[in-house]
Amino acid sequence: MRISAKAEYAVRAAVELAAASGEKPVKAERLATAQEIPLNFLENILGELRHAGVVRSQRGAEGGFRLARPASEVTIADVIRAVDGPLASIRGGPPEDVSYSGAAEALPDVWIAVRASLRGVLERVTLADVAASQLPAHVVKLAKDPEAWITR
């Protein structure tokens, strides 16, 4: 899986908002500075997150952005889908819509399993988890596996 810069920036900004929950709205400039994200790019991302219902915006001198729901209810998957679409797609469609013949006939099951694996992490980690540095045990276990650190 490739995580786009847009998705990574969106997740980082959303985690920053999660860490600031309870405060007044957070200005885009503050998010950009805190996470070292180009402001123009972040403003577009925040617009997409707003459109998807992940964040709310407030205009005015006291305006800014905040999460639309509690951070414990917003998953990393929610944020990624808001800016990049489905977690796993094959030529722009869902894996279950592809079919192959011959030796590649079982390949759709591989793509579906990949999507399930992604969901097993991204749909179970919330913004609150990341902001509090308290990831679910199964995610910590996966990340501590020495095999996970091998780049291929």
Side-chain angles (χ1 to χ4, degrees):
M1 171 184 189
R2 292 185 184 190
I3 298 171
S4 69
K6 183 178 183 181
E8 183 206 11
Y9 288 164
V11 171
R12 288 168 48 201
V15 168
E16 197 68 32
L17 288 174
S21 68
E23 294 181 22
K24 58 186 178 182
V26 180
K27 300 213 177 286
E29 293 85 2
R30 179 174 152 202
L31 294 171
T33 300
Q35 288 299 315
E36 299 178 352
I37 300 170
L39 180 59
N40 290 341
F41 198 19
L42 179 60
E43 287 172 336
N44 291 330
I45 290 168
L46 289 168
E48 289 184 41
L49 292 173
R50 186 178 50 75
H51 182 72
V54 174
V55 302
R56 293 186 319 214
S57 62
Q58 180 178 321
R59 294 183 179 266
E62 296 297 314
F65 293 88
R66 61 174 35 142
L67 294 175
R69 302 186 315 259
S72 61
E73 296 177 15
V74 182
T75 67
I76 302 299
D78 294 332
V79 177
I80 292 172
R81 285 184 185 115
V83 297
D84 274 355
L87 296 178
S89 64
I90 309 300
R91 291 182 269 131
E96 60 272 12
D97 286 356
V98 298
S99 63
Y100 305 103
S101 58
E105 188 173 14
L107 203 47
D109 288 341
V110 173
W111 304 146
I112 291 167
V114 167
R115 180 180 60 190
S117 293
L118 290 171
R119 285 179 172 172
V121 173
L122 299 176
E123 288 182 347
R124 291 190 173 106
V125 177
T126 69
L127 299 179
D129 295 333
V130 178
S133 294
Q134 295 198 345
L135 302 176
H138 79 284
V139 173
V140 172
K141 183 179 177 185
L142 286 169
K144 286 187 176 186
D145 180 351
E147 289 287 314
W149 291 86
I150 296 172
T151 58
R152 295 184 183 137

